[in-house]
Amino acid sequence: MSSTRTMENILTSILLLPTTSLLALSTSLLIKQHVRIRGPIPIFRHIIKYNSIFYSLVSLILCNAITSSYLNSALVREDSISKHGRHVMMVRNLVCVQGQGSLDKKLRLVYHASKFYEYIDIFNVLAVGGVVNTHFWVHHFTTPYLTYMHTATHPTSWHIFAILNTFHHFLMYAYFGGITTFSDILPWTGYAQLLVGIAVE
């Protein structure tokens, strides 16, 4: 069995979701307990910054890869279709069509796996003595379930949300990493991905 197939089996296993949720929750409680007894862990202020820069770059690369994959599969090049017809087909493919091919499948799995990586945000905030509010908890603990349902196993219309989500994460994590240039557009990209996510649901 190939490593790609093994990774696919792991990431599409329904058991992975509650297992990682319990592991992340247990780790979070242990960190919170440690901080309560011994105080914040100073090195995590640097870890947050460098992790944010790293994940911003990962999000940008993933956004570009998903966009390229979509464009390669959605562009209709037949001469018999009018320019207007091509645009209609591109929009229809973006909203309604499941991606095809091994590259698309790999990108879906990488995107899904990236949502498990985001548990690190909770650990980092708790480690510096920060407060993780309800929205933060719910968002980070439910996103892997949503990407499991709409990206890993039933990928129809996954491109549009994943493109907006990874682009928003590129800007947001760059901001967390100290690049304030994007601060004014962050609310707009956040709302855009939220509204598209609700529409896709």
Side-chain angles (χ1 to χ4, degrees), residues 6 18 29 32 60 74 78 91 93 105 107 111 124 129-131 139 147 150 159 161 167 169 182 186 190:
T6 303
L29 294 174
K32 195 171 181 179
L60 179 61
E78 285 84 353
V91 171
N93 288 346
K105 181 183 281 187
L107 287 171
Y111 177 69
N124 288 343
V131 176
H139 171 72
T147 56
H150 292 289
H159 293 106
F161 178 73
F167 182 67
H169 278 77
F182 306 125
L186 272 174

Side-chain angles (χ1 to χ4, degrees), residues 157-181:
S157 66
W158 83 279
H159 293 106
I160 186 169
F161 178 73
I163 290 167
L164 288 171
N165 182 251
T166 51
F167 182 67
H168 175 67
H169 278 77
F170 156 62
L171 300 176
M172 183 178 71
Y173 282 94
Y175 175 75
F176 293 155
I179 301 169
T180 58
T181 311

